[in-house]
Amino acid sequence: MPAFLLAGAAMDVRVRLCRAGDLDAALARRYYAVLDGADRERVDRLPPEHRASMLLARGLVRIELARVLGRAPRALRVERGPLGKPAVAGAPQLRFNLSHSGDWVALAWLARPAPTPAVGLGVDLECARPGRDVVRLAARCFGEAEGARVAALPLAAAAARFRDRWTLAEAWVKARGGSLARVLGTPALPQLPEAARRGRRPAAAGEAPASWQLLTPAPGLTLALWLEGSSVLRSRVSLGLPLRRWLPVRA
């Protein structure tokens, strides 16, 4: 199916949003049990104060995507493609993306397989960080005009505006693949209309359609979704750890 035929096709995106602080000792053991050797090494070599977030992120990918694929969580092999986008070995049409900020972790995935290679999904989270000079950051990352726009806002609104712009840019580049650092400060970055929380980009010469959404799932927390390949994004966010009964796969 050519990319332009997806312009009006709605795609459903599922998001699981969790906090590492909710991962008690019993659940942590169960999450650890589904990790493969490489993931366990990543968790084990972190300082103790950072292990819960990594454990949650790695375990969440396996638990949720194994359910989608009908496989055992530990049997999944997560890879990275040439543009850095994550994929599950043997399931190239499963689009998913992961982000974390503070002790929050978000996993997003398409509810149905991607119909063409042109489809990409990106998610990004950003917690409020009091004390940051968001005016300077906005100007440096998005240009002097954006810096002036942020400077004209009250402090809380300025911080929220910067989080919106930053998370949307991160989600955009994660959906497409590549590095955000290479495009910061350039016109290539997606523009954010005033007060808009969702939008779409129609198909154009050389580009597939796209759609995006900004959410505030908790005070001071911004979540951005970018869907490359469809101009209609429908999202459903589930808060909290997946507490279904499941059995870890033993080595």
Side-chain angles (χ1 to χ4, degrees), residues 16-221:
R16 172 68 72 169
L17 182 63
C18 310
R19 298 192 74 165
D22 295 332
L23 195 65
D24 61 27
L27 274 173
R29 287 192 293 271
R30 295 170 69 188
Y31 273 55
Y32 191 81
V34 303
L35 303 185
D36 63 10
D39 277 347
R40 289 183 182 186
E41 277 188 34
R42 291 185 185 96
V43 171
D44 292 343
R45 65 173 174 249
L46 288 173
E49 63 271 20
H50 298 306
R51 286 178 191 161
S53 181
M54 177 66 78
L55 174 60
L56 175 57
R58 297 288 175 172
L60 192 63
V61 168
R62 292 179 176 277
I63 293 165
E64 289 288 8
L65 300 187
R67 178 184 60 81
V68 173
L69 295 170
R71 301 183 190 176
R74 195 173 175 187
L76 299 188
R77 191 169 85 250
V78 180
E79 306 173 325
R80 286 204 174 271
L83 294 176
K85 295 198 288 186
V88 174
Q93 291 179 303
L94 174 61
R95 299 289 190 269
F96 71 95
N97 206 238
L98 185 73
S99 182
H100 55 83
S101 181
D103 75 339
W104 288 96
V105 175
L107 173 68
W109 68 95
L110 285 185
R112 289 180 292 279
T116 81
V119 174
L121 176 64
V123 64
D124 194 63
L125 277 177
E126 182 75 11
C127 291
R129 301 183 193 180
R132 285 200 303 179
D133 187 346
V134 293
V135 174
R136 181 180 61 84
L137 286 171
R140 187 175 71 183
C141 296
F142 305 115
E144 293 299 328
E146 182 67 15
R149 186 177 292 110
V150 170
L153 296 172
L155 185 60
R161 168 78 187 188
F162 177 76
R163 286 197 306 274
D164 286 350
R165 195 72 201 273
W166 179 264
T167 55
L168 190 63
E170 283 273 22
W172 171 78
V173 81
K174 290 167 76 174
R176 296 164 63 98
S179 168
L180 179 60
R182 294 181 180 178
V183 292
L184 282 178
T186 74
L189 289 172
Q191 299 302 307
L192 181 62
E194 294 292 338
R197 307 305 291 170
R198 62 172 63 235
R200 62 182 62 187
R201 184 192 68 204
E207 283 196 305
S211 48
W212 56 269
Q213 188 172 1
L214 286 164
L215 302 166
T216 308
L221 181 68

